[in-house]
Amino acid sequence: MGRVLVIEDDERIGRLVTRALEGGGLLTERASSGSAGLDAALRRDFDLVVLDLMLPGLDGRQVLDQLRERRPEQPVLVLSAVPEISTRVAVLEAGAADFLGKPFAVAELLARVRARMRPAPGGDGGRWLRIGPVHLDLHRRRVTVDGVRVELPLREFLLLQHLMTRAGRPCSRDELLADVWGLHFDPGSNVVDVSVRRLRGRLDRADRIETVRGVGYAYAAD
Amino acid sequence: MGRVLVIEDDERIGRLVTRALEGGGLLTERASSGSAGLDAALRRDFDLVVLDLMLPGLDGRQVLDQLRERRPEQPVLVLSAVPEISTRVAVLEAGAADFLGKPFAVAELLARVRARMRPAPGGDGGRWLRIGPVHLDLHRRRVTVDGVRVELPLREFLLLQHLMTRAGRPCSRDELLADVWGLHFDPGSNVVDVSVRRLRGRLDRADRIETVRGVGYAYAAD
DNA sequence: ACCGTTCATGACGAGGCCGTCATCCGACCG
DNA sequence: CGGTCGGATGACGGCCTCGTCATGAACGGT
């Protein structure tokens, strides 16, 4: 479950925000001043920090700068009543992951928070793929089944990757042709079927590819 | 340098956006319809897609859905004149990385685009490798030189990856044999040399592999 | 300038990848 | 139970990959 730190001095808005986030299934923590917030952010791990710009004592901008300095990988979503474009730009350039002006709709805040907490596109959100005994390393293009290495040719690896990332959902031949083969038209042959067969053969007993009649193939979800 | 695809049918806004992004040091490409944009996004690699919601033919929302379906890791920033909060929320929940309402300030757009292209917070673990014009995608095992795809066989890709991650440092043949070939002994042949040659040939003018006499090879640091 | 060492280069060929096709089989329907 | 359609299977072959070797070129020390 995601953990969010809310740094906001205004009691009313603070409540509003934490309520909204908790309603969205997130764990929240609250800090009412810049220094307390910075402290909490440095001491513990949060998936996201929601930071108000106008704060007593240590200013929100200073908190952001400190955070970027001492924990550059920490994503921060900045809230602010300041409407100027220059402020937004400055905050984003300073490293904030997102900016939302006040007044804001809680639904939009929640949606933006969620967007920021999604598995990072290039990050390790994609390096490893594991379902049951089958384990893919996307970087090294390696497969192990029950810890034993299995050599897969390129096409079969891409095919397996596509199916596993969409486990439980059937994938049409067209979809596979487009993503695995890069073909945006039907080559008029059963390449997909043949490749699936070869892949099945190589996975042997670990094979979890199901054929969905009239549609395509699906990897059995966990 | 970052590569951005702008999908926008309005000629004026399209110009405005691409100009702004190029002014910010980004490479842009333009598509004037949903289907053309989707096509380009699927066929080539972009660091970010800027997508207008209102498009002729294939709607922006459909483009987003297709993209999420077929290339879930592709970050998308949605532009829209629709002011409703529900639209923003729906778009973000549908997987867009960001949302910016029209009319917008080009400065803010540029700042948001940059924010989305920053290395992913979770430590992107090295999905992308880029030195000068040569760009590796470790997940997709793809190489582009000046944005143009170059097909590399497995061995040559691994070799290039090893050298680029250690750019500026010479790598001995033993080291390469161990990491790229998995051989912990000398096979008594010049496999490494031959593979380097082939790789050089394929990189052509972009080749930055230097031979370090008596040691091995090194990729020229940036 | 000479010569040994190191690297570059071109050619060869076994093996594997992968697209195609023809045929077989099993599922679903009447 | 027979027909039809979609998928499974086995075989074939072109092409690419990649390890090997022989030879030529470049370097560096004396």
Side-chain angles (χ1 to χ4, degrees):
Chain A
M1 197 180 297
R3 300 172 47 77
V4 181
L5 172 65
V6 179
I7 309 180
E8 164 69 73
D9 63 315
D10 183 305
E11 183 64 30
R12 214 188 91 257
I13 298 182
R15 282 275 183 78
L16 187 72
V17 170
T18 53
R19 287 264 177 82
L21 298 182
E22 280 166 8
L26 301 166
L27 289 173
T28 64
E29 194 154 321
R30 172 85 187 287
S32 301
S33 76
S35 52
L38 180 58
D39 219 49
L42 290 176
R43 192 173 17 247
R44 316 181 41 179
D45 270 336
F46 292 94
D47 296 310
L48 181 68
V49 172
V50 174
L51 174 67
D52 186 21
L53 266 200
M54 221 172 54
L55 289 170
L58 197 60
D59 180 77
R61 180 53 200 264
Q62 294 173 280
V63 174
L64 176 61
D65 290 340
Q66 285 282 319
L67 224 42
R68 291 297 295 174
E69 177 84 15
R70 319 224 327 238
R71 187 168 284 197
E73 76 286 1
Q74 173 69 66
V76 178
L77 185 155
V78 171
L79 289 178
S80 173
V82 183
E84 279 86 17
I85 295 294
S86 60
T87 303
R88 302 178 167 226
V89 172
V91 162
L92 289 168
E93 296 285 354
D98 202 349
F99 181 102
L100 185 54
K102 293 182 186 178
F104 54 85
V106 290
E108 181 173 357
L109 175 63
L110 180 58
R112 282 186 181 272
V113 167
R114 281 197 171 132
R116 294 287 71 78
M117 303 214 316
R118 272 197 282 270
D124 79 349
R127 163 143 196 202
W128 302 96
L129 246 179
R130 169 178 234 154
I131 296 178
V134 181
H135 196 277
L136 301 201
D137 179 337
L138 288 328
H139 281 189
R140 302 189 154 267
R141 214 192 114 236
R142 285 176 149 195
V143 188
T144 58
V145 173
D146 287 322
V148 183
R149 277 212 57 181
V150 176
E151 291 288 346
L152 284 193
L154 178 56
R155 274 276 136 52
E156 290 164 39
F157 184 91
L158 293 174
L159 180 57
L160 181 58
Q161 174 181 354
H162 186 104
L163 292 173
M164 281 181 68
T165 54
R166 293 153 182 83
R169 216 206 59 203
C171 301
S172 72
R173 290 154 214 278
D174 282 348
E175 177 184 334
L176 293 167
L177 281 169
D179 192 53
V180 176
W181 278 262
L183 298 176
H184 297 272
F185 54 89
D186 187 342
S189 81
N190 62 345
V191 222
V192 176
D193 303 48
V194 173
S195 286
V196 166
R197 163 158 172 69
R198 287 171 179 156
L199 178 53
R200 280 171 163 164
R202 243 179 279 254
L203 291 179
D204 200 47
R205 315 198 59 77
D207 169 41
R208 296 244 223 148
I209 302 173
E210 298 168 345
T211 105
V212 184
R213 202 176 171 82
V215 183
Y217 299 91
Y219 200 88
D222 214 6
Chain B
M1 198 180 299
R3 298 173 47 77
V4 181
L5 173 65
V6 178
I7 309 179
E8 163 69 74
D9 63 315
D10 183 305
E11 183 64 31
R12 216 189 88 257
I13 299 183
R15 283 275 184 79
L16 188 71
V17 170
T18 52
R19 287 263 178 82
L21 298 182
E22 281 168 6
L26 301 167
L27 288 174
T28 64
E29 194 154 322
R30 171 83 188 286
S32 301
S33 77
S35 51
L38 179 59
D39 218 50
L42 290 175
R43 201 184 341 262
R44 315 181 44 178
D45 272 334
F46 293 95
D47 297 308
L48 181 69
V49 172
V50 173
L51 174 66
D52 185 20
L53 266 199
M54 218 169 60
L55 289 171
L58 196 61
D59 182 74
R61 180 53 200 266
Q62 295 172 278
V63 174
L64 177 60
D65 290 340
Q66 285 282 320
L67 223 42
R68 292 296 296 174
E69 176 85 14
R70 311 195 10 208
R71 186 169 285 192
E73 76 286 2
Q74 173 68 65
V76 177
L77 185 156
V78 171
L79 289 177
S80 174
V82 183
E84 280 86 17
I85 295 294
S86 61
T87 302
R88 300 176 170 230
V89 172
V91 162
L92 289 167
E93 295 285 353
D98 202 347
F99 181 101
L100 185 54
K102 294 183 187 178
F104 54 85
V106 289
E108 180 172 359
L109 174 63
L110 180 58
R112 284 186 180 272
V113 167
R114 282 198 171 130
R116 294 287 72 78
M117 302 214 314
R118 273 196 283 270
D124 84 354
R127 159 150 192 200
W128 303 94
L129 245 180
R130 170 178 250 157
I131 296 179
V134 180
H135 194 280
L136 300 203
D137 180 335
L138 295 284
H139 282 190
R140 302 187 151 259
R141 213 191 115 242
R142 283 177 148 198
V143 187
T144 57
V145 174
D146 287 322
V148 183
R149 276 213 58 183
V150 175
E151 292 289 345
L152 284 193
L154 178 56
R155 274 281 134 64
E156 291 165 39
F157 185 90
L158 294 175
L159 180 57
L160 182 59
Q161 175 180 353
H162 185 103
L163 292 172
M164 281 180 69
T165 54
R166 292 151 182 85
R169 214 204 63 201
C171 301
S172 72
R173 286 154 218 280
D174 282 349
E175 176 184 335
L176 293 167
L177 281 169
D179 191 53
V180 176
W181 278 264
L183 298 176
H184 296 275
F185 55 91
D186 186 344
S189 81
N190 63 343
V191 222
V192 177
D193 302 48
V194 173
S195 285
V196 166
R197 163 161 170 68
R198 286 172 179 154
L199 178 53
R200 280 170 163 166
R202 243 180 279 254
L203 291 179
D204 201 48
R205 314 198 60 78
D207 169 42
R208 294 245 225 148
I209 302 174
E210 298 169 347
T211 103
V212 184
R213 202 175 172 83
V215 184
Y217 299 91
Y219 200 89
D222 214 11

